[in-house]
Amino acid sequence: MKYSISSLLVVAALSAAPGKQTFTGTITDNMCAKAGHAQMRMGPTDAECTTACVSIHGATYVLYDGKEVYALSDQRTPEKFAGQKVRVTGTLDAKTKTIQVDSISAAK
């Protein structure tokens, strides 16, 4: 009896765990995500402004999908995609709106 209850609890916990998802949006920084880069204009392009905000002002890379801003666990890979539309695959922590990043690729 104990075995079947334990098994049910494990199955229930695993089914409630969030799975991998794919998110599409633009890699930007948490300072300019919703407002855009026009105010800061730390470079002639959004990509240059994003990397400047991260390196000079201590901002972090985020994914902005047009509505929501998601923090990214990986802060190295997004640098090469700054200002670009991408697909991020990972697991979302809904409470913190943080994506545990598995991969980032350019969106088609």
Side-chain angles (χ1 to χ4, degrees):
M1 184 69 155
K2 287 183 182 179
Y3 177 74
S4 62
I5 292 174
S6 296
S7 297
L8 287 173
L9 290 174
V10 169
V11 169
L14 290 174
S15 64
K20 290 183 185 177
Q21 297 174 291
T22 299
F23 304 86
T24 302
T26 302
I27 296 292
T28 186
D29 62 272
N30 65 330
M31 294 174 70
C32 300
K34 288 187 177 181
H37 295 277
Q39 290 179 309
M40 296 280 290
R41 198 41 69 191
M42 297 290 298
T45 67
D46 286 350
E48 289 176 325
C49 187
T50 297
T51 54
C53 285
V54 170
S55 64
I56 297 169
H57 296 291
T60 58
Y61 290 108
V62 297
L63 179 74
Y64 179 55
D65 70 0
K67 293 180 184 178
E68 298 291 331
V69 176
Y70 298 100
L72 300 170
S73 65
D74 178 353
Q75 288 293 296
R76 291 185 181 176
T77 307
E79 182 176 6
K80 65 182 174 187
F81 294 105
Q84 295 179 40
K85 190 169 182 177
V86 298
R87 297 172 77 161
V88 176
T89 302
T91 306
L92 175 65
D93 179 335
K95 290 181 183 177
T96 63
K97 289 190 179 177
T98 300
I99 300 170
Q100 185 65 39
V101 177
D102 289 329
S103 66
I104 300 175
S105 61
K108 295 178 181 179

